[in-house]
Amino acid sequence: MFHEARIKLTLWYLLIIMAISLSFSVAIYAGVNNELSRIGNMQRARQARVDTITTFLTQNGLPIPPENQGPQEETVEAARIRIISVLGLINISIFVISGLGGYFLAGQTLDPIQKMVRDQKEFVSNASHELRTPLTSLKTEIEVALRSKDLGIGEAKKLLKSNLEDVDNMQRLSNYLLELNRYENNDIVIEINNVDLSTVVQKVIDQVKPIADKAEIKIAAKLQKTTIRGNEDSLNELSKILMENAIKYSGKSKAIEVKTKSGGILEIKDYGIGISKKDIPHIFDRFYRAEPSRSKEKIDGYGLGLSIAKSIVDKMNGKIKVASVVGKGSTFTVQIPTV
Ligand code: ADP
């Protein structure tokens, strides 16, 4: 599909360039031809005069002077042919050069579009794959329950509870997908205001506290006021993703640290499972999950949180980085431009 588009685009480039080049050539030829015709006419008139003088001199037995060296009729015709050949040669060269150049430029133009389509396809395929798992489980459980002739109320409740978990998972995934679409869509502009980062982070700490309590993890916070240019809801989402991850990947460790510092810095540190060197370059990719979190079924996730976090940071012209050692823990540092 893209090869066809590239050829078509090349042909369009070629058509435009050749139309311009040929128009110029025709104009140049017309101008030069006019001039040659004028010289031809002058030459003919002069020749007629020379002929008359020569006849007169011959009749009177006088010496004939050397022939006037002005351009002859044949010389003018040869110049015309030469000009046509030169223009033809120039046009052939322009055709070849612009054909090659056009093909290269068409490739350059289509490259980002091709990458976007490839990413989109991969995204749809990953999203459908992630949705299939809870859907299949939901369907199987309902089918089994429907086939059972003596389904008690207890069993039915257990089944509904499990179904609800699957529905929750799907809801979480669809929320993530919507978020990702919101932040990765360049047409959507988020409102940027002056926001005190420490206030937002404190709110998020209160929100994630129940999750931390459940995992028996203490959140140690050291929050310094720092006013940044950002969007409060997005900052809330960003801090929540990073804190939930710190809790989720804490392993046996029972504490995480959250800091805000002057200069628009947010630091979230855990002493958990850590991230291997080979995974670090990919953790911000959509649907990427490092091996330990894939194999240990307990750690839920879709590999979308950090891509959303990165898109949020990008929208606010900030930076996000991670330092991590396997088995020792990870520190995510975000820096958002200040006022
Ligand atoms: P999810 O947590 O849903 O898998 P994320 O996009 O939030 O997706 O994270 C991508 C991957 O990065 C995770 O699967 C995990 O392997 C790794 N990761 C993220 N945060 C941490 C952390 N604090 N400690 C260790 N690994 C982490």
Side-chain angles (χ1 to χ4, degrees), residues 176 241-242 245-246 248-249 270 273-275 283 285 288-293 299-307 324 330 332:
Y176 267 147
I241 290 170
L242 297 179
N245 272 357
K248 202 158 75 165
Y249 298 105
D270 67 64
I273 63 172
I275 308 164
I283 55 171
D285 294 349
Y288 189 85
R289 304 206 74 209
E291 276 315 315
S293 45
I299 310 180
D300 284 339
Y302 293 108
L304 289 175
L306 286 182
S307 6
S324 187
S330 318
F332 283 82

Side-chain angles (χ1 to χ4, degrees), residues 18 21 86-100:
M18 287 320 291
S21 168
V86 169
L87 286 176
L89 214 66
I90 291 175
N91 273 288
I92 291 172
S93 314
I94 290 179
F95 181 83
V96 174
I97 293 169
S98 55
L100 294 173

Side-chain angles (χ1 to χ4, degrees), residues 19-37:
I20 296 171
S21 168
L22 287 173
S23 315
F24 271 110
S25 302
V26 167
I28 291 170
Y29 179 71
V32 172
N33 193 34
N34 251 351
E35 207 50 34
L36 286 177
S37 302

